[in-house]
Amino acid sequence: MTTITQRFRVPAAFLLGAVLLLGLAPVALSDFRLSLLAKYLCYAIVAVGVSLAWGRGGLMVLGQGVFFGLGGYAMAMHLKLADAADTGEKLPDFMQLYGTSDALPWWWKPFANPAFALAMTVLLPMAVAALLGFFVFRRRVKGAYFAILSQALAAALSIWLIGQQATTGGTNGLTDIQGFFGYSLDDPVNQRMVYFVIAAVLLLLMALARQLFVSRYGELLVAVRDSEERVRFLGYDPANVKLVAYVVAAGMAGLAGALFVPAVGIISPALIGIVPSIGFVIGAAVGGRASLVGAVLGAIAVAWAQSTLSDEFPAAWTYLQGLLFVLAVGFLPGGLASLWTVLRRRRDPATPKEEAVVVMAGEAA
């Protein structure tokens, strides 16, 4: 009976998630609340990749804002060009104000093609992650050094975007996006369509990550996290194993950034710098980085708290966010997803520790 229950637990959980996201939420929430939930779900997509790379692979990915931004800007560039074409203009509105030339920059031109733009939202972040990861993991950079390098990359991209006002919008970023592949984003019906797309993508990526978790590759990734030298002795290259997780997580972050643009109507350097990158990790840590559901719920909860508490306590929110991260990593490494298991073990020390392995798999990271 227990085996049958475990076999149907995961499909039942996905079915419940689909019912809540695709059935209940659109009925119970107003258009404004639903648009906020769409924004939070984009952060949850990033958390799925963080759960894979950090929770499963032990990679402290503090630079996911880079890949989120690359995907977001790739999508926004296409949508701005489409908006300009609809009004008979050759250049996006901000280039007409700040640009120094009447010609579209050469690197903008390919993004007029929707197929190219869609591909770049995923392939460009993955390519950057593959290039960076190849050199970093081959040099056996890990731990705090890898985290600092990721943060430096996020800061560098943000600074570069701010300095290119004529071609990237500078501090403002790409704003006032009106359409999404022929559909007006001012129409509440189309906004709901965007929400459904985001929710469906989140569920699909969770299913993909779940398969990676339980696959042979997932077991190898855990082995690399726990003991690289033993894996190398068995004939596997830990650098390649970590590189795959890092690249897949980057692709998920890029896709999240691309979906964030039609959901919110803007992408700017403020959304992809150091602070947002840390925020992505905090959400996964609070919910439980080794648990997909925990990481997703944690990301949604932290994003909701940021939207509500930052309005009430704008100066104190950043400190509270940092405190959440310290508490989660220092006192509850498995996140809220492991809370029930921790309480059970304290009440009954004879409880087999093996029951906590799946939930608290990230503690050794």
Side-chain angles (χ1 to χ4, degrees), residues 318-344:
T318 303
Y319 299 102
L320 178 59
Q321 192 178 40
L323 179 62
L324 283 173
F325 183 62
V326 171
L327 291 176
V329 174
F331 298 96
L332 195 63
L336 294 177
S338 67
L339 186 58
W340 174 249
T341 304
V342 171
L343 293 176
R344 284 188 60 191

Side-chain angles (χ1 to χ4, degrees), residues 130-157:
L131 182 63
L132 176 66
F134 177 81
F135 292 106
V136 168
F137 298 138
R138 290 292 173 185
R139 305 281 294 185
R140 301 188 184 182
V141 177
K142 55 185 177 180
Y145 300 103
F146 176 73
I148 293 172
L149 184 61
S150 299
Q151 286 279 273
L153 183 62
L157 178 61

Side-chain angles (χ1 to χ4, degrees), residues 164-189:
Q164 305 298 316
Q165 186 170 355
T167 55
T168 66
T171 305
N172 296 328
L174 304 182
T175 64
D176 195 27
I177 294 172
Q178 302 294 320
F180 182 62
F181 294 96
Y183 295 93
S184 173
L185 292 176
D186 291 332
D187 189 340
V189 175

Side-chain angles (χ1 to χ4, degrees), residues 60-111:
M60 179 66 84
V61 283
L62 285 178
Q64 293 304 93
V66 172
F67 311 120
F68 184 86
L70 290 173
Y73 269 88
M75 174 63 76
M77 288 166 66
H78 170 73
L79 297 183
K80 291 297 290 184
L81 290 174
D83 288 346
D86 290 340
T87 58
E89 301 288 345
K90 295 182 179 180
L91 299 177
D93 50 6
F94 75 93
M95 285 189 184
Q96 299 177 36
L97 292 175
Y98 307 120
T100 58
S101 173
D102 294 333
L104 189 69
W106 65 267
W107 51 277
W108 268 74
K109 293 180 181 179
F111 289 93

